Amino acid sequence: MRQNMIDVLKKFGYRVYWQVLNTKDHGIPQNRPRFYLVAIEGKSQCHLFRFPPSIDPEPIENFMEKDVRQQELTTDTQKTALNAAKKKLKKKGIDSSMVNAFVDVGATPKWSSAMVGTCPCLTSSRCKMGGHYSTVAKRMLTRKEMLRLQGIPPNRFNYKTAGVKEDDLKFAVGNATSTNVLMRLLPDALWAAGLLEKKIVLPTRFSKYVCY
């Protein structure tokens, strides 16, 4: 299907560029590889387009809320998945009580996994159940933290005033495109298409945009 889409765009005169970009390679520590495609109408293209280079993510602590109460896991499945992930970390010599690991407690024990210093992929189903579990904070992610890890300022949208339920908002967060990737991708795409007079310096730090 991907190749069919590319072939159709080329047939209609577009120059097509595509690449799999990971959120964690563009400033925010969430493991979220996604397919990105840029198509520029051939006659309109003024400059060569290149995808942005990878940069290191900021520490995940920059996106976490302070003074949030610890939280007990509610189901036996979650507890079993957490214990299984901790055992896997221990085999690697990692003390999960000292090193901030994020565990997908929504997975079965066989497939339970943890990422140190990086949040696993925030899918719609995982966000709705509370994201992932932090072994240092000893709780699931908050709504604000999940938004930040998608590059979205949590206070920009008053979902209650808009009549949106919190579970529906979390579900939408999991379906969203990471805005930090777009912030690094779009300036060069617009410049290549002749829609900007000059290149914009690409951002490298995102906590200042999303942590309010």
Side-chain angles (χ1 to χ4, degrees), residues 183-184 187-188 198-204 209:
M183 287 174 70
R184 305 195 77 241
D188 277 0
K198 61 180 181 179
K199 274 192 171 185
I200 295 175
V201 177
L202 302 181
T204 58
Y209 297 112

Side-chain angles (χ1 to χ4, degrees), residues 40-103:
I40 303 174
E41 202 277 324
K43 295 179 181 179
S44 301
Q45 185 160 356
C46 299
H47 308 282
L48 179 65
F49 170 76
R50 290 188 177 92
F51 281 95
S54 298
I55 58 173
D56 292 331
E58 293 183 59
I60 197 164
E61 286 73 21
N62 290 5
F63 301 87
M64 300 286 287
E65 292 189 87
K66 306 296 188 290
D67 301 322
V68 177
R69 188 178 300 175
Q70 294 180 3
Q71 176 187 45
E72 291 288 335
L73 293 175
T74 57
T75 70
D76 290 339
T77 301
Q78 290 178 327
K79 295 174 184 177
T80 303
L82 176 60
N83 289 332
K86 284 182 175 180
K87 289 179 181 177
K88 293 175 184 177
L89 289 171
K90 189 174 181 179
K91 285 183 179 180
K92 296 178 181 179
I94 299 172
D95 182 350
S96 59
S97 65
M98 301 298 294
V99 176
N100 207 353
F102 291 80
V103 182

Side-chain angles (χ1 to χ4, degrees), residues 123-136:
T123 63
S124 54
S125 59
R126 291 296 187 267
C127 284
K128 195 169 183 178
M129 65 173 277
H132 300 293
Y133 185 88
S134 164
T135 60
V136 169

Side-chain angles (χ1 to χ4, degrees), residues 5 12 17 19 25 30 33 43 48 60 77-79 95 98 101 134 138 146-147 153 155 163 168 174 176-177 194 207:
M5 177 173 56
F12 283 96
Y17 308 85
Q19 194 168 310
D25 295 328
Q30 182 202 166
K43 295 179 181 179
L48 179 65
I60 197 164
T77 301
Q78 290 178 327
K79 295 174 184 177
D95 182 350
M98 301 298 294
S134 164
K138 296 182 179 179
M146 288 186 282
L147 282 161
N155 295 327
D168 292 337
T177 299
S207 58

